[in-house]
Amino acid sequence: MFDVKKYYDSCSNDDDVDSGELYQYLKTFENVILWGASFTGAAIGKKLLEEGVDFKGYWDLRADELCDVLDKPVSAPFSSDYARDKTMVIICIPNHVLQPQLLTELRINNYQSLRGDIIYSGICCKLGKKTGQGFMLYTRRTSWDEEGIPDPQFASSDDTISDAEIIHRLFVPMYEEAVRCFEEGIISD
């Protein structure tokens, strides 16, 4: 049986994450849904398809405007009637403020779930501990529970990163996202 906690730990601590067991685990479900069709959801979806994991589609509040991503349908959350005991929902919304609420909604509705942000770090992410280019020194093993809640003491700050480097790492992605929002008409000025 796939050990979710062990996989979450591996994504946080190992230099080389073996996601083969994750892919096999996901293939045991009749339905795999990715909740969130933006960057994280599309990246995870692409990797799952490359690894032979077929998923039903995406849940996203913007279903009417998105229609499909990676040739997979996008529908509103909870709008499809799936057998809940045979369905896995991967939360691909990396907003740590919303995630507890989403996990609670899934639990109330009897869906099984995985944290897409952690999966993303294991199957897609090139930075962080794996390259030593992240913001934190990973001095202690992270402990994750089944819902992906980390031990808050898992890392300490790295004083060797300059202020300019931090500004560059934070500002450039925010700037690029703002440009994308402008280009896609999400904002007008």
Side-chain angles (χ1 to χ4, degrees), residues 24-40:
Q24 292 305 314
Y25 176 62
L26 291 174
K27 289 177 183 179
T28 66
F29 290 91
E30 225 174 75
N31 309 296
V32 175
I33 306 296
L34 304 183
W35 192 350
S38 290
F39 176 79
T40 303

Side-chain angles (χ1 to χ4, degrees), residues 25-160:
Y25 176 62
L26 291 174
K27 289 177 183 179
T28 66
F29 290 91
E30 225 174 75
N31 309 296
V32 175
I33 306 296
L34 304 183
W35 192 350
S38 290
F39 176 79
T40 303
I44 290 173
K46 180 180 178 189
K47 188 66 175 176
L48 292 179
L49 291 173
E50 287 172 0
E51 296 297 331
V53 178
D54 193 24
F55 60 97
K56 292 288 185 193
Y58 292 92
W59 281 354
D60 199 293
L61 292 175
R62 301 166 300 140
D64 291 338
E65 65 186 77
L66 294 175
C67 298
D68 67 76
V69 173
L70 298 172
D71 295 324
K72 297 290 183 177
V74 180
S75 58
F78 304 104
S79 63
S80 305
D81 190 27
Y82 295 114
R84 293 181 174 148
D85 60 327
K86 298 176 182 177
T87 301
M88 173 60 72
V89 178
I90 301 174
I91 300 174
C92 299
I93 301 171
N95 181 320
H96 294 283
V97 175
L98 289 177
Q99 278 182 356
Q101 178 184 347
L102 301 178
L103 287 165
T104 300
E105 282 185 59
L106 290 169
R107 198 174 314 111
I108 288 170
N109 286 284
N110 297 315
Y111 281 102
Q112 298 178 67
S113 64
L114 291 172
R115 291 213 15 211
D117 59 329
I118 299 172
I119 291 172
Y120 179 83
S121 72
I123 67 176
C124 301
C125 188
K126 304 285 190 240
L127 295 179
K129 182 175 186 282
K130 293 166 186 69
T131 64
Q133 298 299 308
F135 288 112
M136 308 301 270
L137 287 175
Y138 296 85
T139 56
R140 271 193 271 156
R141 205 171 155 74
T142 303
S143 177
W144 298 90
D145 66 13
E146 287 290 322
E147 293 180 3
I149 308 299
D151 173 357
Q153 302 298 318
F154 75 96
S156 60
S157 65
D158 180 355
D159 295 331
T160 63

Side-chain angles (χ1 to χ4, degrees), residues 3 5-19 21 118 121-123 125-132 138 140-142 144:
D3 186 341
K5 183 182 181 320
K6 182 179 173 186
Y7 183 75
Y8 287 166
D9 286 347
S10 180
C11 289
S12 300
N13 296 301
D14 294 343
D15 291 336
D16 186 23
V17 176
D18 178 11
S19 294
E21 286 184 28
I118 299 172
S121 72
I123 67 176
C125 188
K126 304 285 190 240
L127 295 179
K129 182 175 186 282
K130 293 166 186 69
T131 64
Y138 296 85
R140 271 193 271 156
R141 205 171 155 74
T142 303
W144 298 90

